[in-house]
Amino acid sequence: MRNLAVVVFFLCCCHTAGEDKPIQTFVIPHSHMDVGWVYTIQESMHAYAANVYTSVTEELSKAADRRFIAVEQEFFRLWWDTVATDAHKKQVRQLVKEGRLEFIIGGQVMHDEAVTDLDDEILQMTEGHGFLYETFGVRPQFSWHVDPFGASATTPVLFALAGFNGHLVSRIDYDLKDSMQKNKKLQFVWRGSPSLKDKQQIFTHTMDQFSYCTPSHLPFSNSSGFYWNGVALFPDPPKNGVYPNMSLPVTKDTVQAYAKTMVENIKQRAAWFRTNHVLWPWGCDKQFYNSSVQFNNMDPLMKYINQNSKEFGVTVQYATVGEYFQAIHQSDLVWEPRGSEDFLPYSTEPHQAWTGFYASRNVLKGVARQASSRLHAAETLFTRYRVSFPDGPVTKDWALDKLKALRWAVSEVQHHDGITGTESPKVADMYLRHLVQAAMGVDELLAALILLPHNLGLPSMLGSRYHKKGVHQPSEQHVIVYNPLAWNITTIVNVTVSFPTAAVFDDDGQPVPAQIQGSAHSNATYDLFIVVELGGLQHRKYLIKFSVKKCSGRKCGRTYDAEGVSFERRNICDWMKTGRRLLPVMNECYTLMFDQDTNLLHSITYLPEKRRVMVTQDFWEYHANGDAKAGPISDNYVFSANGSAVRAYEAVEMEIIPGKIVTEIRQRFYREKSDKDYAYSITTRVPECFGSGPRCHRLEQTYSLGPLRLNTEVVLRTSSSLTNNRTLYTDDNGYQMMERRYRKYTNNTLARNYFPMVRAAYIEDELSRLVLVSDRAHGVSSQADGQLEVMLHRRLWNNVPWNLGYNLTLNDSSVVRPALWMLLGSIAVTSKLYQREAIELQHRPVIMPIDQPQRSWQEKEPRGSSPVRSVVLPPNLHLLSLSIPGWSYSSDHDVHLSRLNSGKDLHSEPDYDRVLLRIMHLFEEGEDPELSKPVTINLKEVLQGIGEVKELEERSLTGTWDISRLQRWKWKTADNVKTNNKRYRRGGDQAFTVTISPKEIRTFFVHFASRSF
């Protein structure tokens, strides 16, 4: 009690002392520059973004007290590479050195926090941080996440791992922010991970109700408020420099009115915080493209306030975010800790739940994740190639350029108005174009890495072949299958072929189990399922021999020819009696029962525990209001249903294709019972168990939806007999699971109980858990007991002038084909499986057809070839990254700064010998009796399949800090927890031994011994 009294006295004294002092105001000049949204990047660069950095650089150089923060690196890098003169670059270097131009966040973009994947958040931060450190020797230490639509608990963990000392958020639920303001709880120490706890805690500042902009409605001026440069003009900036809505200049006649308004706003904000320091963001969207007008008006205004500070009770100064956080840190207060709760979902008012964007632009979300997966595969393969064949024929500069292009495109789309689907159609097309073009370049790289001979002494992957004339032989094709994961896998891949019969052989000439059947999406093609067994980071070649005619005996190899059985279309109006005629589909893990009276799934029995769960899946739709005068509307951002969901179909057809590799169930849903074409479909693949992997737990589903009818939002509803009390669990960015309890609100309860699902969601009761893992982000909810509904697609239009003016109505007429994998079983069993399943769905084997079907070739030499050695991690560790970034900076910070300050030519060749390695522990503390334990591995042994590790340096998450020199700020908390961030590595051979604890992400620079041939 005595200690508590001392703390209370300390806090009271500090608060009283703070009230006696003038309010210290940190005016932070900034420009919120969306990397996309309404205008393309090229349009924004031309209209205003380039001018921001040119004019800011020039204006900061004129007065030593001026400041500016640069946030999104994509625009800055484009300006640096294509616009900035040598004089500008010299000025920028000096401003950065003096701390007057501060890089905040430092990533390529201000990434979204709800629908982004962990891999891509880290990538875009790493891309920006690498550029900043290489170019300026600086490492961002503070965030400025002012515009993402809600705040994830994963983000503060990643920022802490990157070396940040302060985190800043803004968009959280309006009613929660009101409460936090009244109780002065907008600042806290956030422990985003329940496993890492205080080890990666970070001080967090929540912006008040004014967010990142200054008041814009002033009684004596126009609506631009403190933005004297007016409003940016598209497509071209005005030649005379006069922009629309330029505020009245600060003169002797207006300065008092401006000062009165600014001081009143400062004091209003000060009342919501515990210290007498006020962060006053001066800027908003698309500002400071004419910085001279801005500073030439703010300078005299601030001078006037400071001259009258005793009267006003306020002082003002230009500042960076770092200067503000430093003042807060020096206040030495005791802060409340916040656990791993996030700030999702996000609402701005009772009928404005920003939960629609979780499912907006499903195609873009899917392409972005596919591109990310392709990039991961190419990074790992190129790393192996460079270590093994440093002088191989794949040109290293060409290869790195291909990788950099896709890194840029994947990073770019993580913007909070990018992957969210909240951008205009032309911007969505821009993202897709950049992703597809860069992915095509990486596909060229993948082919080159595998097909070209690695050196003159070794044959190519295809070997030396010749065509044997005069002998009639069937057509054949080769495919390469690459496993981009550091686990051994046995799985089934699907190759689309044009022949009805095929036999498959591995690179030793042995027949491979396979199955062929008519395609679900085309009458002209066939699905060829092949069972592949691959070591970690291994690829293998398979030969497919085709025939137009049915084969028999040995010619078929081990390929099963599967044929389907069709069931009569069932209309929902005839569902008088159901459950009378059940049809089983079985594998070693499950028995699925399908109801022939409805053509729907009826139940699933988990065979190892003989536990049956009633499960039905079908499509429902919410109808949205398009007339703003008639009530709340749904749009790109907002979900506001015009009532409960209704069935999206009137009839269902079913076809079952029994197989020896996989049994496929195809369900087609018709809007009207007499429709010829189906509107929706579910294709469920029930695999047989092969090899050592428990892959039969996985029920693979793909869906087809669209084009939708206007103003409909379609969900896949999985209804079960589980008693979950409408509580579900969804992932934060694929990093950790969050409990989502159903809550009742005065208004808009339905939409406010939707949550983002990036990789996984599940419901459970005391006995069982039903899990869905996803290949892209969706919105998910449990609107009734035992239900798990996933919003898969949206098509909307409304007459809100703002939406119409910017073309943000989401009239998305595309056909989407997302994939979900379903698992059912006990909590203990599914806990072991679902995270790995989610990663295997994200990083499926890469299939590369390396020639078109043609007349048979015969090998001069035997097919047998030694596959590359595997790289295998324990099942609870995941190879998050294995890449060659190419940065040329020294790992020694002092050496790097010395080089930057030398004044010599700073251009240098990329470093192709430094490998970036990240390993992540998948499990939470206590999640599994064995898999949740810390894991100790010797990285020299783990990586010996790639080469001989000669040097290992542990780094911060984005690679810019030597972890031994990283000393993050410590913050006093009410529970007085002492943080221990020490990591022990011993000398000698044990220097390569590391222990990775639950939910840790460890980052290393690896140097391999050079090879010569």
Side-chain angles (χ1 to χ4, degrees):
M1 290 298 293
R2 182 182 177 187
N3 291 338
L4 178 61
V6 170
V7 171
V8 171
F9 175 78
F10 174 77
L11 292 176
C12 292
C13 289
C14 284
H15 185 67
T16 305
E19 289 180 345
D20 293 336
K21 298 178 182 178
I23 298 168
Q24 187 179 4
T25 309
F26 295 77
V27 177
I28 299 181
H30 76 99
S31 180
H32 185 69
M33 303 160 70
D34 285 303
V35 183
W37 190 36
V38 175
Y39 302 103
T40 67
I41 289 159
Q42 294 75 16
E43 288 174 327
S44 293
M45 278 293 291
H46 176 70
Y48 81 95
N51 289 336
V52 169
Y53 290 114
T54 299
S55 65
V56 162
T57 300
E58 293 169 354
E59 291 304 311
L60 291 187
S61 300
K62 294 178 181 178
D65 63 331
R66 292 175 176 176
R67 302 285 190 273
F68 193 79
I69 60 169
V71 184
E72 297 86 357
Q73 282 309 297
E74 176 151 340
F75 281 130
F76 180 82
R77 291 178 70 176
L78 288 171
W79 174 79
W80 183 263
D81 290 338
T82 63
V83 177
T85 64
D86 289 342
H88 286 141
K89 291 183 177 182
K90 185 176 180 180
Q91 286 176 309
V92 167
R93 291 187 189 278
Q94 186 62 31
L95 292 169
V96 171
K97 189 176 181 179
E98 295 172 2
R100 297 198 285 129
L101 175 63
E102 183 178 51
F103 293 105
I104 298 298
I105 306 176
Q108 285 291 92
V109 298
M110 186 188 298
H111 70 254
D112 171 67
E113 298 194 38
V115 298
T116 43
D117 188 86
L118 172 79
D119 295 3
D120 306 322
E121 292 178 345
I122 296 173
L123 170 71
Q124 71 87 22
M125 281 177 28
T126 303
E127 281 298 286
H129 287 194
F131 163 77
L132 289 175
Y133 189 59
E134 183 176 71
T135 309
F136 304 108
V138 297
R139 300 169 285 206
Q141 296 181 49
F142 307 97
S143 88
W144 182 262
H145 259 225
V146 297
D147 205 28
F149 320 130
S152 162
T154 299
T155 306
V157 176
L158 297 184
F159 285 161
L161 289 169
F164 283 26
N165 287 311
H167 181 35
L168 187 148
V169 300
S170 182
R171 290 186 182 267
I172 65 173
D173 252 359
Y174 70 98
D175 44 5
L176 178 59
K177 180 174 281 193
D178 286 346
S179 172
M180 293 170 72
Q181 282 185 173
K182 291 174 184 176
N183 296 300
K184 295 190 177 183
K185 292 188 176 182
L186 290 170
Q187 295 171 320
F188 48 87
V189 173
W190 200 350
R191 297 169 183 163
S193 166
S195 294
L196 299 178
K197 302 182 183 70
D198 57 291
K199 287 193 290 187
Q200 297 301 340
Q201 68 185 19
I202 190 167
F203 180 82
T204 303
H205 172 99
T206 310
M207 283 193 157
D208 56 51
Q209 67 188 40
F210 294 101
S211 192
Y212 61 88
C213 297
T214 51
S216 58
H217 299 288
L218 307 183
F220 54 87
S221 186
N222 63 26
S223 62
S224 288
F226 293 87
Y227 311 126
W228 291 279
N229 57 194
V231 177
L233 201 61
F234 286 80
D236 302 306
K239 293 181 179 179
N240 60 2
V242 178
Y243 286 83
N245 291 356
M246 296 177 73
S247 289
L248 292 175
V250 175
T251 65
K252 63 180 181 180
D253 297 323
T254 61
V255 67
Q256 189 171 6
Y258 270 116
K260 182 174 180 290
T261 301
M262 185 172 177
V263 167
E264 286 176 353
N265 183 256
I266 290 168
K267 288 183 173 179
Q268 184 181 2
R269 287 176 151 166
W272 297 325
F273 294 92
R274 291 177 56 199
T275 74
N276 67 332
H277 310 101
V278 170
L279 187 156
W280 203 77
W282 177 37
C284 202
D285 291 40
K286 307 176 187 68
Q287 286 294 315
F288 282 87
Y289 44 82
N290 190 345
S291 298
S292 63
V293 175
Q294 290 283 80
F295 283 112
N296 288 338
N297 282 280
M298 185 57 88
D299 285 354
L301 173 57
M302 290 174 59
K303 182 179 180 181
Y304 179 82
I305 292 173
N306 287 331
Q307 287 174 340
N308 296 277
S309 61
K310 289 186 178 180
E311 175 190 344
F312 288 131
V314 167
T315 63
V316 292
Q317 67 188 74
Y318 291 123
T320 62
V321 174
E323 289 170 324
Y324 171 75
F325 273 118
Q326 192 168 35
I328 299 297
H329 187 246
Q330 289 173 351
S331 69
D332 206 32
L333 294 184
V334 177
W335 302 97
E336 282 192 12
R338 179 183 178 86
S340 58
E341 304 88 0
D342 60 12
F343 292 97
L344 292 165
Y346 161 65
S347 294
T348 49
E349 56 185 79
H351 289 285
Q352 294 280 315
W354 292 44
T355 56
F357 78 88
Y358 302 157
S360 295
R361 299 201 187 281
N362 184 281
V363 170
L364 176 62
K365 286 177 166 65
V367 171
R369 287 274 285 276
Q370 290 161 15
S372 172
S373 175
R374 211 63 159 189
L375 176 62
H376 174 82
E379 297 275 22
T380 56
L381 198 57
F382 178 60
T383 301
R384 291 200 72 142
Y385 184 91
R386 276 293 307 161
V387 173
S388 300
F389 307 103
D391 300 316
V394 178
T395 309
K396 58 187 179 183
D397 291 339
W398 174 81
L400 188 60
D401 285 345
K402 297 293 185 185
L403 293 170
K404 281 183 174 180
L406 192 52
R407 291 173 191 169
W408 185 286
V410 173
S411 297
E412 172 186 89
V413 78
Q414 306 311 315
H415 174 63
H416 57 269
D417 274 306
I419 198 167
T420 52
T422 53
E423 64 279 344
S424 66
K426 67 178 177 182
V427 174
D429 291 343
M430 176 201 73
Y431 290 132
L432 286 168
R433 185 171 63 254
H434 292 176
L435 288 166
V436 170
Q437 289 176 349
M440 289 173 62
V442 161
D443 282 346
E444 292 177 22
L445 172 60
L446 284 167
L449 292 172
I450 287 175
L451 298 182
L452 290 178
H454 297 152
N455 61 44
L456 297 177
L458 292 175
S460 72
M461 187 70 189
L462 284 177
S464 175
R465 306 178 307 178
Y466 69 95
H467 183 64
K468 190 172 182 179
K469 295 182 180 180
V471 178
H472 176 73
Q473 293 183 332
S475 297
E476 63 181 41
Q477 181 178 26
H478 294 82
V479 296
I480 303 295
V481 183
Y482 174 59
N483 171 23
L485 297 172
W487 297 318
N488 296 333
I489 63 169
T490 300
T491 191
I492 300 167
V493 299
N494 181 15
V495 180
T496 301
V497 299
S498 303
F499 293 84
T501 303
V504 184
F505 302 88
D506 64 17
D507 44 16
D508 292 319
Q510 298 300 310
V512 174
Q515 176 177 316
I516 194 165
Q517 62 195 44
S519 171
H521 300 294
S522 170
N523 293 328
T525 59
Y526 300 86
D527 290 331
L528 177 62
F529 298 103
I530 306 170
V531 177
V532 298
E533 294 189 44
L534 293 165
L537 303 187
Q538 273 190 342
H539 60 265
R540 296 192 71 174
K541 180 179 68 172
Y542 293 88
L543 169 65
I544 306 172
K545 292 188 174 182
F546 297 107
S547 176
V548 178
K549 301 177 181 179
K550 295 284 184 181
C551 66
S552 60
R554 291 186 177 181
K555 293 181 180 179
C556 295
R558 296 176 65 186
T559 301
Y560 178 74
D561 187 359
E563 295 184 358
V565 179
S566 297
F567 296 82
E568 183 181 350
R569 185 183 298 196
R570 296 295 181 183
N571 303 330
I572 60 173
C573 58
D574 298 330
W575 291 0
M576 305 300 292
K577 294 182 179 180
T578 61
R580 300 172 301 168
R581 298 183 298 156
L582 300 180
L583 187 67
V585 175
M586 301 176 64
N587 67 5
E588 293 184 27
C589 294
Y590 302 114
T591 296
L592 286 74
M593 303 297 285
F594 288 87
D595 190 342
Q596 295 181 64
D597 291 321
T598 63
N599 285 337
L600 298 180
L601 180 63
H602 173 270
S603 63
I604 303 176
T605 300
Y606 179 55
L607 295 176
E609 298 173 2
K610 297 181 173 59
R611 186 175 299 147
R612 187 177 76 158
V613 177
M614 308 301 292
V615 181
T616 299
Q617 289 184 306
D618 57 356
F619 294 98
W620 293 65
E621 63 185 14
Y622 291 99
H623 294 161
N625 172 40
D627 183 3
K629 296 179 181 178
I633 55 97
S634 282
D635 63 12
N636 283 22
Y637 305 88
V638 173
F639 172 40
S640 184
N642 194 15
S644 300
V646 297
R647 271 198 179 89
Y649 62 95
E650 289 188 353
V652 188
E653 285 181 355
M654 181 170 66
E655 180 185 10
I656 297 180
I657 306 171
K660 294 184 177 180
I661 304 297
V662 61
T663 294
E664 188 170 273
I665 302 96
R666 300 172 181 175
Q667 296 163 291
R668 302 180 181 94
F669 298 77
Y670 295 83
R671 283 200 188 98
E672 310 288 339
K673 57 186 178 183
S674 59
D675 283 354
K676 181 180 178 181
D677 298 319
Y678 61 88
Y680 318 103
S681 71
I682 303 175
T683 301
T684 304
R685 290 173 181 158
V686 183
E688 296 298 329
C689 189
F690 285 91
S692 58
R695 297 288 75 84
C696 68
H697 285 92
R698 168 198 302 169
L699 300 173
E700 301 182 7
Q701 294 190 319
T702 56
Y703 313 92
S704 174
L705 303 86
L708 303 185
R709 291 183 290 197
L710 200 57
N711 283 331
T712 57
E713 303 173 76
V714 178
V715 302
L716 172 76
R717 179 172 287 178
T718 303
S719 303
S720 76
S721 56
L722 299 184
T723 54
N724 71 315
N725 297 315
R726 295 191 287 189
T727 295
L728 76 155
Y729 297 79
T730 72
D731 65 313
D732 262 8
N733 314 107
Y735 177 69
Q736 58 192 1
M737 300 302 293
M738 311 297 293
E739 183 182 38
R740 311 295 194 184
R741 294 188 178 184
Y742 188 89
R743 296 180 181 176
K744 292 185 178 179
Y745 298 91
T746 304
N747 298 292
N748 214 18
T749 292
L750 192 159
R752 293 185 76 174
N753 279 287
Y754 253 83
F755 302 92
M757 166 195 184
V758 177
R759 287 189 191 174
Y762 61 77
I763 58 174
E764 66 183 24
D765 59 17
E766 293 181 355
L767 296 175
S768 301
R769 177 185 286 170
L770 175 67
V771 185
L772 295 177
V773 297
S774 176
D775 71 339
R776 67 197 70 184
H778 303 288
V780 62
S781 185
S782 182
Q783 295 287 335
D785 197 26
Q787 269 187 12
L788 183 59
E789 69 176 42
V790 182
M791 187 174 288
L792 297 178
H793 200 10
R794 317 173 74 218
R795 184 181 183 185
L796 303 164
W797 183 91
N798 63 74
N799 58 6
V800 176
W802 186 83
N803 281 331
L804 293 175
Y806 289 124
N807 198 7
L808 296 174
T809 59
L810 197 65
N811 189 357
D812 183 356
S813 60
S814 61
V815 176
V816 303
R817 293 188 173 90
L820 295 172
W821 290 354
M822 180 164 56
L823 294 85
L824 179 67
S826 67
I827 293 173
V829 169
T830 55
S831 292
K832 296 177 189 293
L833 294 172
Y834 77 90
Q835 296 183 78
R836 175 162 171 161
E837 291 293 320
I839 291 170
E840 289 198 19
L841 173 55
Q842 169 78 0
H843 297 293
R844 284 173 278 191
V846 177
I847 304 168
M848 289 177 285
I850 55 178
D851 48 23
Q852 294 298 315
Q854 56 187 314
R855 295 294 296 278
S856 176
W857 295 74
Q858 291 187 356
E859 307 283 354
K860 285 183 179 178
E861 301 168 3
R863 283 193 188 87
S865 62
S866 300
V868 293
R869 295 175 66 184
S870 61
V871 176
V872 182
L873 287 171
N876 47 0
L877 297 185
H878 169 46
L879 181 69
L880 201 61
S881 308
L882 182 71
S883 65
I884 296 176
W887 306 314
S888 60
Y889 60 74
S890 169
S891 296
D892 186 310
H893 183 62
D894 296 330
V895 172
H896 180 52
L897 288 185
S898 176
R899 177 177 166 273
L900 287 175
N901 295 330
S902 67
K904 298 177 182 177
D905 180 17
L906 297 178
H907 178 75
S908 59
E909 292 299 313
D911 184 345
Y912 289 98
D913 296 324
R914 178 163 49 202
V915 172
L916 176 67
L917 169 72
R918 291 193 190 94
I919 298 177
M920 173 182 170
H921 197 301
L922 293 178
F923 286 78
E924 298 280 3
E925 278 187 350
E927 188 175 5
D928 183 86
E930 291 299 321
L931 296 173
S932 289
K933 292 179 179 178
V935 184
T936 299
I937 56 174
N938 185 304
L939 288 174
K940 192 166 189 174
E941 294 176 0
V942 168
L943 298 175
Q944 64 184 348
I946 298 175
E948 181 189 352
V949 177
K950 67 175 184 178
E951 188 179 347
L952 188 70
E953 312 168 51
E954 183 157 13
R955 308 292 292 188
S956 60
L957 181 68
T958 58
T960 56
W961 285 93
D962 179 338
I963 206 73
S964 66
R965 298 182 63 172
L966 176 58
Q967 299 293 325
R968 295 175 57 240
W969 294 353
K970 293 179 171 57
W971 299 83
K972 293 181 178 178
T973 55
D975 56 1
N976 201 29
V977 173
K978 290 186 178 180
T979 303
N980 179 13
N981 285 325
K982 291 184 179 179
R983 290 170 174 167
Y984 298 100
R985 300 238 324 276
R986 287 158 285 191
D989 194 53
Q990 290 185 335
F992 302 105
T993 299
V994 298
T995 298
I996 304 176
S997 298
K999 282 300 170 184
E1000 273 195 328
I1001 300 173
R1002 304 282 293 272
T1003 304
F1004 304 91
F1005 284 163
V1006 184
H1007 291 267
F1008 290 88
S1010 60
R1011 290 188 181 185
S1012 59
F1013 293 89

